Amino acid sequence: MDVKPIEPGAKELQDMYYYMRLGRAIEERLELEYKGGKLTSAIYLGRGQEAIEVGASYALEPGDILAPTHRDMISQLPRGLTAREVFTNHYARANSLTRGKGEASYQGDLKRGLFATVSMLPDFYPVATGAALAFKLRGEKRVAMPLCGEGATSRGDFHESLNLASVLDLPVVFVVINNGFAYSTPPFKEMKLSDVAERAHAYAIPGVVVDGNNIIECYLEAKKAVERARDGGGPTLLEAKTMRMRGHAGHDAAKYISKELIREWAQKDPIDRFEKHLTNQGLLDETGIKDMTERVTQEVAEALKFAEESPYPEGQEAITDVYRQ
Amino acid sequence: MDVKPIEPGAKELQDMYYYMRLGRAIEERLELEYKGGKLTSAIYLGRGQEAIEVGASYALEPGDILAPTHRDMISQLPRGLTAREVFTNHYARANSLTRGKGEASYQGDLKRGLFATVSMLPDFYPVATGAALAFKLRGEKRVAMPLCGEGATSRGDFHESLNLASVLDLPVVFVVINNGFAYSTPPFKEMKLSDVAERAHAYAIPGVVVDGNNIIECYLEAKKAVERARDGGGPTLLEAKTMRMRGHAGHDAAKYISKELIREWAQKDPIDRFEKHLTNQGLLDETGIKDMTERVTQEVAEALKFAEESPYPEGQEAITDVYRQ
Amino acid sequence: MSTANKPKETSYIEAISQALWEELERDPSVFMLGQDIGDYGGAFKVTEGFLDKFGPERIIEMPIAEQGFIGMAIGAALMGMRPIVEVQYADFISCGWDQIVNVAAKMHYRTRDAVPMVIRGPSGGGLRAGPFHSQSPEGWFAHVPGLKVIVPGTAHDAKGLLKAAIRDDNPILYFEHKYLYRRVKEVLPEEEYVCHIGAAKVQREGSDLTIVTYGAMVQTALLAAEKAQSSGVSVEVVDLRTVFPIDKETVLNSVAKTSKAIMLYEDTRTLGIGAEVSAIIAEEGFEHLDGPIIRVSAPDAPVPFSPPLEDYFIPQVEDVLAAIDRLSAY
Amino acid sequence: MSTANKPKETSYIEAISQALWEELERDPSVFMLGQDIGDYGGAFKVTEGFLDKFGPERIIEMPIAEQGFIGMAIGAALMGMRPIVEVQYADFISCGWDQIVNVAAKMHYRTRDAVPMVIRGPSGGGLRAGPFHSQSPEGWFAHVPGLKVIVPGTAHDAKGLLKAAIRDDNPILYFEHKYLYRRVKEVLPEEEYVCHIGAAKVQREGSDLTIVTYGAMVQTALLAAEKAQSSGVSVEVVDLRTVFPIDKETVLNSVAKTSKAIMLYEDTRTLGIGAEVSAIIAEEGFEHLDGPIIRVSAPDAPVPFSPPLEDYFIPQVEDVLAAIDRLSAY
Ligand SMILES: Cc1ncc(C[n+]2csc(CCOP(=O)(O)OP(=O)(O)O)c2C)c(N)n1
Ligand SMILES: Cc1ncc(C[n+]2csc(CCOP(=O)(O)OP(=O)(O)O)c2C)c(N)n1
Ligand SMILES: [Mg+2]
Ligand SMILES: [Mg+2]
């Protein structure tokens, strides 16, 4: 297998840059559509989280499994989720990955190693742990990576899955995206610790905190954990500190977040930072940035058009596929 | 309120000695009855755990709440559970605390601060936490103490309740009785840590390990935690290391436990140890021991007879009390 | 016409807020637990302004831990408090299932101790919210002895039944149909009132046929009844309001009068509430029946997301009319 | 008579062990998860000897974490494995409820990915085991589209249906009635066989009246049928075997023949399986009915512990005979 290097090279950096930009472009468009009343569904934006979304996911290899939550559309892009798929699923069309059956943000594709999550948080922590169990039982060198927010770590599923992965020595990288809020609730109302990663001690596994707005750091630490897991080193709990730069969902103006806090975090925008880094490295310049803007804008426009022109499913499809025949 | 001293005096020591002896005598009789085919129900014996059962519970004051599990009958004795009640409930009689409706080991009485547990472990960790919330909301200086085994700590309820108690600063003393087995399962198949108490860090609360066969230590540490909680100091996780000296339940010969291990722990029998201590302190002598044997033997015999002579409930009682009218 | 004297209409969701507010004011042992119910006022804004009025000791924000905080509510209830738990969507109640069915539901039976608590949450479909934000969990809980389950269909009952639930000494599941939140309104009595838990209500009288229903389907039934009237069929609409325990008497009286019954429910078909009501009628009202008991319900599938799928899934007025036609032939 | 040639009878619990053993042998993707299933051989000794034969990678012991390990089984199933989860008592399945109803049940609908897994556990009463070790959880799950629910009533079906369940590509709840474990036996076919999921079976033919039942109540129904025969009533016993989806055809054919139906189930009355079957008959078999559809079931209460209470709670042969009498009057 052609495993990605621990230290990302030029190709890796450019790939990641593209996915971050694509993710942001898709979300900006979704937001416009939502505000224009074009979407029947809720939207959960990951704006501001692009570094950890892309960095962690990009650290996986083809056979691995990523289990995102409602907010992690961007994490799925490096694994092959397309803008078309995002829009057709939000537009609830017949040709979407869930054929209009699943909710807008809850899609996946096993062939690409993408679990389609449910709303209950963090139910896919145990489920991804089970994928890792299958890998271990079959002697496959594959890794599972579930994501969840800091809020979700208060639930029993977090505890049970970390403990199970620890006891069974499973190849799981548990990623917690600590974006400062669970809906309107700040972390201090959810837990007494300031670092979720400290909870790793309770399972005798490594706990790592990364700057969730620094994609190189996110990628490096995720990659280390992934390869450690792949080599039989067991699970890791990786916490990324970042900020949810939008409301919980499209309808939420997030008045409970102070303007200063948003301004502060805007200074740390993960894409701006990465662009500076790439420019310093000589891997990007003004033209490159412009070209990328054009590329993702076009991709998004094309995808949106495709979705809008796609048909809805027929009503009677409501009762198909309940069972595997 | 006449709060018990942190350092137990003669009265406290003698009380505790009585409860330990009474607990053991009841259990020995239950075991005989079970083996004689006289019980329709399962029995879960706490033999070997008398020090933590009595020590922790005795550290509570009248208004406090104790929430035991299936194995913790002995812990209820210091709070007023009687031998008669133990036998009538095991014999499923109409005059038992559950009127023949609940299972043998699952009884309680709110007036005495005893929650009647369910089988699902450790469901009463959250429930006891809720009692503590009520105390806090009403400004009452009362404490809740749920018990569970080391096996039960793998479940989500453990995590959720410790986290809730921590975040809300509730007066709860979480006691984990680590008796070496969960049914047939040893702790290393349940968790990677050797001390459950370390999990306290995950909630930023104190975690304490005690010798679960040393009643003075059990009482002292429990008392400290209880009074800390009462004074607004928040929850504690208290782990007692001990040994389940019988099978999981009456039917289980526990062949999976080595004879040596049992022999080793028999040397540390909590009652023997306490008797030595009391003798050294001049609080007990041969006669005192004999008198106690007589006292508890008689108490048990009388209680058993009472239970045997008590009537069963009438069949149609099966449908009463489903609701509070 | 001047609107000055027109009495103010109260929406279903306002009715719920009012019930909570009034009970919090009335009884200091009442308090609320839930996610984002404080400052934010709750996901659907049911508790907007509550934190200011009642403070953080009565309006307590919760981490994501349904099993934990439902268990906590049980413990507080055992200590004499009257907790009201808000689950953000009724769907998430599945995460606290064990505490509800094993601890809360069986407590009084075993110990005779009261567990006065209400768990409420927004249920039901029609909002294009997909499989995890549209479920109707009432059928599960109506199969758990020791619980009572309420699904109000009007603003009046939403208020009166919630107040009754808060005062009741048993664990109660109260599912608010979120499709109705801002879609139904009515003028409520000015004086305080409570409704009787366990009593159905004839929302429309009729003589040819009975529709037994509840929740959002009450509106569907009333619309269908209206239409049927114009083709000469007189339909009676029985709103169960409490789906467990079921008010047999009102149902059987109506069927005795009309001799024909349709069970209308938004929940999935197999073992939805209508199955139980049908079984009750088939046993205790059999003598009165002139035709089969027809069920109009969602099919056995998750709630789909896409509008055409959801419209197919949720019973529509036309589906009810087709059933009325079928049954009128008998 | 020499017993040498007498074919060996297999008990219900042995039939279950055999099915597991044979499927573990047949398919390397099959494995088991559960508490104390290794060395100890399981709380009821269903997996005794399995660890030695199949090793710790196929017989995997679990901490107490039902929600966690049921979720894990789902993930493994998605990766192409065929996990079998043992819950120590069926009652404890309530702790994994959310994973089952939200993740497993809705997965194929959303993604078309198969979730081939079986969750099995000892259910039912009659063993004086009280409210937390005697429940019949099948009614809850039979209300969850996407799941299949099996409760075998004979050793033959216990084996054949479990093998079918393990080979099925859907999440399946398989409840073993523990009262039957060592109480029913029969000679099983020597050659390999599987039973068809979703097919009921007429366990006894009759012409006057149909009892629809399943699980341990099959035995009760057969005993009652026997007694009724002697007073001249010919009773047909339909064993559902799969309680979701329900085999309507077999039920309706029987009712078409007998015109009278009794629903017999050990689960609590409201929304127990018999409610659904009754509703099916009341809609689709109404023309054939000569009398009410009678339900004989447990009352709406937790399962009590004390013998007289439990005997009152669980339907007895006499209760069925009384229902037969009542119905014979029509
Ligand atoms: C078990 C459960 N309870 C409640 C919800 C409703 N809910 C949806 S998102 C959310 C906040 C999640 O916060 P966090 O885990 O930090 O993730 P984020 O949304 O910040 O990415 C809540 C409470 C849920 N999805 N699951
Ligand atoms: C949620 C749940 N799953 C399974 C069981 C079955 N069970 C009863 S006791 C037991 C072992 C408990 O071990 P531990 O918590 O250490 O307590 P101990 O019995 O040693 O006192 C198990 C698995 C249960 N009671 N609850
Ligand atoms: Mg968050
Ligand atoms: Mg133990």
Side-chain angles (χ1 to χ4, degrees), chain A residues 106 117-124 155, chain C residues 91-95 131-133 135, chain D residues 98 102-103:
Chain A
Y106 301 167
T117 196
V118 302
S119 186
M120 291 70 201
L121 293 168
D123 275 20
F124 269 65
R155 243 192 98 221
Chain C
D91 307 70
F92 301 125
I93 203 167
S94 55
C95 302
F132 303 110
H133 294 89
Q135 295 178 68
Chain D
D98 166 54
N102 283 317
V103 186

PDB file of all heavy atoms in Angstrom, chain A residues 106 117-124 155, chain C residues 91-95 131-133 135, chain D residues 98 102-103:
ATOM      1  N   TYR A 106     -26.375  13.504   6.628  1.00  0.00           N
ATOM      2  CA  TYR A 106     -26.061  12.158   7.129  1.00  0.00           C
ATOM      3  C   TYR A 106     -25.881  11.180   5.994  1.00  0.00           C
ATOM      4  O   TYR A 106     -26.691  10.297   5.778  1.00  0.00           O
ATOM      5  CB  TYR A 106     -27.192  11.666   8.040  1.00  0.00           C
ATOM      6  CG  TYR A 106     -27.455  12.549   9.233  1.00  0.00           C
ATOM      7  CD1 TYR A 106     -28.601  12.397   9.991  1.00  0.00           C
ATOM      8  CD2 TYR A 106     -26.566  13.545   9.620  1.00  0.00           C
ATOM      9  CE1 TYR A 106     -28.863  13.195  11.093  1.00  0.00           C
ATOM     10  CE2 TYR A 106     -26.819  14.351  10.708  1.00  0.00           C
ATOM     11  CZ  TYR A 106     -27.961  14.171  11.439  1.00  0.00           C
ATOM     12  OH  TYR A 106     -28.215  14.966  12.517  1.00  0.00           O
ATOM     13  N   THR A 117     -23.623   8.628   9.291  1.00  0.00           N
ATOM     14  CA  THR A 117     -23.921   8.755  10.716  1.00  0.00           C
ATOM     15  C   THR A 117     -25.425   8.885  11.002  1.00  0.00           C
ATOM     16  O   THR A 117     -26.218   9.028  10.085  1.00  0.00           O
ATOM     17  CB  THR A 117     -23.182   9.975  11.303  1.00  0.00           C
ATOM     18  OG1 THR A 117     -23.169   9.866  12.728  1.00  0.00           O
ATOM     19  CG2 THR A 117     -23.878  11.287  10.916  1.00  0.00           C
ATOM     20  N   VAL A 118     -25.764   8.804  12.257  1.00  0.00           N
ATOM     21  CA  VAL A 118     -27.125   9.103  12.704  1.00  0.00           C
ATOM     22  C   VAL A 118     -27.040  10.366  13.558  1.00  0.00           C
ATOM     23  O   VAL A 118     -25.952  10.866  13.839  1.00  0.00           O
ATOM     24  CB  VAL A 118     -27.721   7.946  13.543  1.00  0.00           C
ATOM     25  CG1 VAL A 118     -27.732   6.649  12.749  1.00  0.00           C
ATOM     26  CG2 VAL A 118     -26.982   7.772  14.865  1.00  0.00           C
ATOM     27  N   SER A 119     -28.173  10.831  14.010  1.00  0.00           N
ATOM     28  CA  SER A 119     -28.176  12.079  14.753  1.00  0.00           C
ATOM     29  C   SER A 119     -27.725  11.899  16.207  1.00  0.00           C
ATOM     30  O   SER A 119     -27.119  12.807  16.789  1.00  0.00           O
ATOM     31  CB  SER A 119     -29.583  12.681  14.711  1.00  0.00           C
ATOM     32  OG  SER A 119     -29.585  13.942  15.309  1.00  0.00           O
ATOM     33  N   MET A 120     -28.042  10.744  16.782  1.00  0.00           N
ATOM     34  CA  MET A 120     -27.739  10.521  18.191  1.00  0.00           C
ATOM     35  C   MET A 120     -26.218  10.543  18.393  1.00  0.00           C
ATOM     36  O   MET A 120     -25.502   9.728  17.822  1.00  0.00           O
ATOM     37  CB  MET A 120     -28.297   9.172  18.639  1.00  0.00           C
ATOM     38  CG  MET A 120     -29.811   9.133  18.686  1.00  0.00           C
ATOM     39  SD  MET A 120     -30.520   9.177  17.003  1.00  0.00           S
ATOM     40  CE  MET A 120     -32.175   9.767  17.357  1.00  0.00           C
ATOM     41  N   LEU A 121     -25.781  11.429  19.262  1.00  0.00           N
ATOM     42  CA  LEU A 121     -24.344  11.627  19.462  1.00  0.00           C
ATOM     43  C   LEU A 121     -23.854  10.909  20.690  1.00  0.00           C
ATOM     44  O   LEU A 121     -24.529  10.975  21.721  1.00  0.00           O
ATOM     45  CB  LEU A 121     -24.072  13.130  19.626  1.00  0.00           C
ATOM     46  CG  LEU A 121     -24.331  13.972  18.364  1.00  0.00           C
ATOM     47  CD1 LEU A 121     -24.315  15.456  18.709  1.00  0.00           C
ATOM     48  CD2 LEU A 121     -23.307  13.670  17.289  1.00  0.00           C
ATOM     49  N   PRO A 122     -22.701  10.285  20.686  1.00  0.00           N
ATOM     50  CA  PRO A 122     -21.878   9.958  19.509  1.00  0.00           C
ATOM     51  C   PRO A 122     -22.044   8.479  19.184  1.00  0.00           C
ATOM     52  O   PRO A 122     -21.136   7.685  19.405  1.00  0.00           O
ATOM     53  CB  PRO A 122     -20.466  10.266  19.997  1.00  0.00           C
ATOM     54  CG  PRO A 122     -20.535   9.872  21.485  1.00  0.00           C
ATOM     55  CD  PRO A 122     -21.972   9.970  21.932  1.00  0.00           C
ATOM     56  N   ASP A 123     -23.189   8.100  18.660  1.00  0.00           N
ATOM     57  CA  ASP A 123     -23.474   6.683  18.407  1.00  0.00           C
ATOM     58  C   ASP A 123     -22.453   6.005  17.503  1.00  0.00           C
ATOM     59  O   ASP A 123     -22.308   4.777  17.549  1.00  0.00           O
ATOM     60  CB  ASP A 123     -24.865   6.527  17.774  1.00  0.00           C
ATOM     61  CG  ASP A 123     -25.980   6.481  18.809  1.00  0.00           C
ATOM     62  OD1 ASP A 123     -25.749   6.934  19.939  1.00  0.00           O
ATOM     63  OD2 ASP A 123     -27.073   6.000  18.489  1.00  0.00           O
ATOM     64  N   PHE A 124     -21.772   6.784  16.680  1.00  0.00           N
ATOM     65  CA  PHE A 124     -20.818   6.126  15.791  1.00  0.00           C
ATOM     66  C   PHE A 124     -19.442   5.919  16.423  1.00  0.00           C
ATOM     67  O   PHE A 124     -18.571   5.322  15.808  1.00  0.00           O
ATOM     68  CB  PHE A 124     -20.760   6.828  14.427  1.00  0.00           C
ATOM     69  CG  PHE A 124     -21.757   6.199  13.481  1.00  0.00           C
ATOM     70  CD1 PHE A 124     -23.119   6.293  13.742  1.00  0.00           C
ATOM     71  CD2 PHE A 124     -21.342   5.462  12.375  1.00  0.00           C
ATOM     72  CE1 PHE A 124     -24.048   5.673  12.904  1.00  0.00           C
ATOM     73  CE2 PHE A 124     -22.262   4.846  11.536  1.00  0.00           C
ATOM     74  CZ  PHE A 124     -23.624   4.949  11.800  1.00  0.00           C
ATOM     75  N   ARG A 155     -21.711  11.763  26.766  1.00  0.00           N
ATOM     76  CA  ARG A 155     -22.627  10.628  26.692  1.00  0.00           C
ATOM     77  C   ARG A 155     -21.942   9.297  26.931  1.00  0.00           C
ATOM     78  O   ARG A 155     -20.757   9.122  26.651  1.00  0.00           O
ATOM     79  CB  ARG A 155     -23.366  10.606  25.353  1.00  0.00           C
ATOM     80  CG  ARG A 155     -24.877  10.774  25.583  1.00  0.00           C
ATOM     81  CD  ARG A 155     -25.697  10.474  24.382  1.00  0.00           C
ATOM     82  NE  ARG A 155     -26.212   9.128  24.435  1.00  0.00           N
ATOM     83  CZ  ARG A 155     -26.267   8.310  23.409  1.00  0.00           C
ATOM     84  NH1 ARG A 155     -25.844   8.690  22.220  1.00  0.00           N
ATOM     85  NH2 ARG A 155     -26.739   7.092  23.554  1.00  0.00           N
TER      86      ARG A 155
ATOM     87  N   ASP C  91     -36.926  12.038  19.410  1.00  0.00           N
ATOM     88  CA  ASP C  91     -36.076  10.942  18.925  1.00  0.00           C
ATOM     89  C   ASP C  91     -34.963  10.596  19.920  1.00  0.00           C
ATOM     90  O   ASP C  91     -34.568   9.442  20.021  1.00  0.00           O
ATOM     91  CB  ASP C  91     -35.432  11.328  17.595  1.00  0.00           C
ATOM     92  CG  ASP C  91     -36.459  11.794  16.570  1.00  0.00           C
ATOM     93  OD1 ASP C  91     -37.041  12.893  16.750  1.00  0.00           O
ATOM     94  OD2 ASP C  91     -36.711  11.076  15.614  1.00  0.00           O
ATOM     95  N   PHE C  92     -34.447  11.595  20.616  1.00  0.00           N
ATOM     96  CA  PHE C  92     -33.305  11.338  21.494  1.00  0.00           C
ATOM     97  C   PHE C  92     -33.692  10.639  22.789  1.00  0.00           C
ATOM     98  O   PHE C  92     -32.845  10.230  23.569  1.00  0.00           O
ATOM     99  CB  PHE C  92     -32.561  12.645  21.791  1.00  0.00           C
ATOM    100  CG  PHE C  92     -32.069  13.307  20.539  1.00  0.00           C
ATOM    101  CD1 PHE C  92     -32.396  14.617  20.238  1.00  0.00           C
ATOM    102  CD2 PHE C  92     -31.301  12.596  19.628  1.00  0.00           C
ATOM    103  CE1 PHE C  92     -31.964  15.209  19.054  1.00  0.00           C
ATOM    104  CE2 PHE C  92     -30.864  13.176  18.440  1.00  0.00           C
ATOM    105  CZ  PHE C  92     -31.194  14.481  18.159  1.00  0.00           C
ATOM    106  N   ILE C  93     -34.978  10.476  22.986  1.00  0.00           N
ATOM    107  CA  ILE C  93     -35.431   9.771  24.176  1.00  0.00           C
ATOM    108  C   ILE C  93     -34.958   8.324  24.144  1.00  0.00           C
ATOM    109  O   ILE C  93     -34.826   7.673  25.182  1.00  0.00           O
ATOM    110  CB  ILE C  93     -36.970   9.864  24.296  1.00  0.00           C
ATOM    111  CG1 ILE C  93     -37.398   9.665  25.736  1.00  0.00           C
ATOM    112  CG2 ILE C  93     -37.647   8.863  23.374  1.00  0.00           C
ATOM    113  CD1 ILE C  93     -38.835  10.037  25.986  1.00  0.00           C
ATOM    114  N   SER C  94     -34.683   7.819  22.961  1.00  0.00           N
ATOM    115  CA  SER C  94     -34.177   6.443  22.841  1.00  0.00           C
ATOM    116  C   SER C  94     -32.893   6.275  23.646  1.00  0.00           C
ATOM    117  O   SER C  94     -32.580   5.170  24.090  1.00  0.00           O
ATOM    118  CB  SER C  94     -33.934   6.091  21.377  1.00  0.00           C
ATOM    119  OG  SER C  94     -33.066   7.032  20.792  1.00  0.00           O
ATOM    120  N   CYS C  95     -32.147   7.348  23.840  1.00  0.00           N
ATOM    121  CA  CYS C  95     -30.887   7.258  24.589  1.00  0.00           C
ATOM    122  C   CYS C  95     -31.118   7.110  26.090  1.00  0.00           C
ATOM    123  O   CYS C  95     -30.194   6.777  26.821  1.00  0.00           O
ATOM    124  CB  CYS C  95     -30.020   8.481  24.311  1.00  0.00           C
ATOM    125  SG  CYS C  95     -29.641   8.684  22.559  1.00  0.00           S
ATOM    126  N   PRO C 131     -35.254  10.825   9.204  1.00  0.00           N
ATOM    127  CA  PRO C 131     -35.453   9.685  10.105  1.00  0.00           C
ATOM    128  C   PRO C 131     -35.107   9.937  11.575  1.00  0.00           C
ATOM    129  O   PRO C 131     -35.588   9.211  12.433  1.00  0.00           O
ATOM    130  CB  PRO C 131     -34.504   8.613   9.561  1.00  0.00           C
ATOM    131  CG  PRO C 131     -34.013   9.075   8.244  1.00  0.00           C
ATOM    132  CD  PRO C 131     -34.306  10.520   8.119  1.00  0.00           C
ATOM    133  N   PHE C 132     -34.277  10.940  11.854  1.00  0.00           N
ATOM    134  CA  PHE C 132     -33.823  11.121  13.238  1.00  0.00           C
ATOM    135  C   PHE C 132     -34.401  12.351  13.920  1.00  0.00           C
ATOM    136  O   PHE C 132     -34.029  12.685  15.039  1.00  0.00           O
ATOM    137  CB  PHE C 132     -32.293  11.156  13.287  1.00  0.00           C
ATOM    138  CG  PHE C 132     -31.694   9.920  12.687  1.00  0.00           C
ATOM    139  CD1 PHE C 132     -31.021   9.978  11.484  1.00  0.00           C
ATOM    140  CD2 PHE C 132     -31.858   8.689  13.298  1.00  0.00           C
ATOM    141  CE1 PHE C 132     -30.499   8.832  10.910  1.00  0.00           C
ATOM    142  CE2 PHE C 132     -31.346   7.542  12.726  1.00  0.00           C
ATOM    143  CZ  PHE C 132     -30.658   7.600  11.526  1.00  0.00           C
ATOM    144  N   HIS C 133     -35.274  13.042  13.225  1.00  0.00           N
ATOM    145  CA  HIS C 133     -35.890  14.216  13.831  1.00  0.00           C
ATOM    146  C   HIS C 133     -37.399  14.242  13.577  1.00  0.00           C
ATOM    147  O   HIS C 133     -38.005  15.307  13.556  1.00  0.00           O
ATOM    148  CB  HIS C 133     -35.264  15.506  13.286  1.00  0.00           C
ATOM    149  CG  HIS C 133     -33.823  15.708  13.665  1.00  0.00           C
ATOM    150  ND1 HIS C 133     -32.781  15.226  12.912  1.00  0.00           N
ATOM    151  CD2 HIS C 133     -33.246  16.320  14.733  1.00  0.00           C
ATOM    152  CE1 HIS C 133     -31.626  15.559  13.485  1.00  0.00           C
ATOM    153  NE2 HIS C 133     -31.876  16.214  14.595  1.00  0.00           N
ATOM    154  N   GLN C 135     -39.534  11.112  14.478  1.00  0.00           N
ATOM    155  CA  GLN C 135     -40.155   9.880  14.939  1.00  0.00           C
ATOM    156  C   GLN C 135     -41.329  10.151  15.886  1.00  0.00           C
ATOM    157  O   GLN C 135     -41.424  11.195  16.509  1.00  0.00           O
ATOM    158  CB  GLN C 135     -39.116   8.979  15.627  1.00  0.00           C
ATOM    159  CG  GLN C 135     -38.044   8.487  14.666  1.00  0.00           C
ATOM    160  CD  GLN C 135     -36.972   7.635  15.346  1.00  0.00           C
ATOM    161  OE1 GLN C 135     -37.230   6.536  15.802  1.00  0.00           O
ATOM    162  NE2 GLN C 135     -35.747   8.148  15.411  1.00  0.00           N
TER     163      GLN C 135
ATOM    164  N   ASP D  98     -30.954   2.293  21.959  1.00  0.00           N
ATOM    165  CA  ASP D  98     -30.709   3.363  20.988  1.00  0.00           C
ATOM    166  C   ASP D  98     -29.928   2.865  19.769  1.00  0.00           C
ATOM    167  O   ASP D  98     -30.278   3.159  18.625  1.00  0.00           O
ATOM    168  CB  ASP D  98     -29.961   4.493  21.700  1.00  0.00           C
ATOM    169  CG  ASP D  98     -29.369   5.494  20.742  1.00  0.00           C
ATOM    170  OD1 ASP D  98     -30.114   6.016  19.898  1.00  0.00           O
ATOM    171  OD2 ASP D  98     -28.154   5.754  20.828  1.00  0.00           O
ATOM    172  N   ASN D 102     -32.002   3.064  16.340  1.00  0.00           N
ATOM    173  CA  ASN D 102     -31.599   4.191  15.498  1.00  0.00           C
ATOM    174  C   ASN D 102     -30.497   3.854  14.505  1.00  0.00           C
ATOM    175  O   ASN D 102     -30.521   4.329  13.374  1.00  0.00           O
ATOM    176  CB  ASN D 102     -31.192   5.389  16.364  1.00  0.00           C
ATOM    177  CG  ASN D 102     -32.404   6.098  16.929  1.00  0.00           C
ATOM    178  OD1 ASN D 102     -33.394   6.322  16.224  1.00  0.00           O
ATOM    179  ND2 ASN D 102     -32.364   6.433  18.211  1.00  0.00           N
ATOM    180  N   VAL D 103     -29.535   3.058  14.922  1.00  0.00           N
ATOM    181  CA  VAL D 103     -28.434   2.755  13.994  1.00  0.00           C
ATOM    182  C   VAL D 103     -28.752   1.510  13.174  1.00  0.00           C
ATOM    183  O   VAL D 103     -28.870   1.575  11.951  1.00  0.00           O
ATOM    184  CB  VAL D 103     -27.089   2.610  14.735  1.00  0.00           C
ATOM    185  CG1 VAL D 103     -25.959   2.454  13.718  1.00  0.00           C
ATOM    186  CG2 VAL D 103     -26.820   3.824  15.620  1.00  0.00           C
TER     187      VAL D 103
END
